[in-house]
Amino acid sequence: MGSPEFIVNVRKKIGHDPLWLPGVRGVVFDEDSRVLLGKRSDTGDWALITGILEPGEEPGPGLVREIFEETAVVARIEHLLGIAAVGPVTFPNGDVCDFLNIEFIARHISGTACVNDDESTAVGWFAIADLPPLRPGHLDCIQRALMFDGEPRFQR
């Protein structure tokens, strides 16, 4: 799927210059407390399911959409985990972005995890003890979800 059309249009005007975008990230648990991860096709890294919100899109439904689009899993949002500024991130094509990430804890409702678009080369459920290498921010997000006490975290 790649970049949303609105970003492609903006990139035609600004090139690879930094862009501030609203993002969502989810720690999705299944009934066995495993975490849903995708292996990104752009970097080859294992990661939580993330996405960019469309103009006017609400964050919770946007994450549910991203989870389904990328993994064929239907999920339900359970909690707001936190909000964080992330970046700058430089993508392999040279695009630079900073994200206002809205992080959620979500629960698997139905669907079998599989690669459902071109953003991932693999998807799967991972036990906490068997997580593949993850970027520090993704690992931190999982750890905060495991210890969640009902209070969202806001980076300071």
Side-chain angles (χ1 to χ4, degrees):
M1 294 193 71
S3 293
E5 190 64 29
F6 81 94
I7 293 175
V8 171
N9 291 334
V10 169
R11 286 288 180 205
K12 288 177 185 174
K13 297 173 185 170
I14 68 166
H16 299 299
D17 287 352
L19 187 58
W20 177 248
L21 294 169
V24 288
R25 175 162 54 187
V27 181
V28 184
F29 292 109
D30 71 0
E31 57 279 355
D32 297 319
S33 298
R34 297 177 301 172
V35 177
L36 181 62
L37 299 175
K39 190 170 188 180
R40 295 177 58 100
S41 59
D42 60 351
T43 63
D45 295 334
W46 282 98
L48 293 169
I49 306 306
T50 64
I52 298 169
L53 295 173
E54 296 286 339
E57 186 175 30
E58 293 287 336
L63 177 61
V64 169
R65 173 187 57 76
E66 288 286 349
I67 292 165
F68 183 77
E69 284 179 1
E70 295 181 22
T71 70
V73 165
V74 176
R76 177 185 76 243
I77 300 296
E78 290 191 332
H79 301 285
L80 172 65
L81 182 60
I83 300 175
V86 176
V89 176
T90 302
F91 290 91
N93 69 355
D95 287 351
V96 178
C97 297
D98 287 277
F99 295 94
L100 178 64
N101 266 358
I102 304 161
E103 304 166 333
F104 293 96
I105 299 171
R107 182 73 50 191
H108 170 263
I109 299 299
S110 65
T112 301
C114 66
V115 174
N116 205 34
D117 67 10
D118 62 357
E119 292 186 42
S120 302
T121 60
V123 298
W125 296 101
F126 291 83
I128 298 304
D130 297 322
L131 292 174
L134 295 168
R135 289 183 179 166
H138 288 244
L139 188 55
D140 175 68
C141 199
I142 293 169
Q143 291 168 341
R144 286 186 288 112
L146 292 168
M147 299 182 300
F148 187 68
D149 63 1
E151 187 71 31
R153 176 175 168 242
F154 304 97
Q155 282 188 352
R156 294 181 175 91

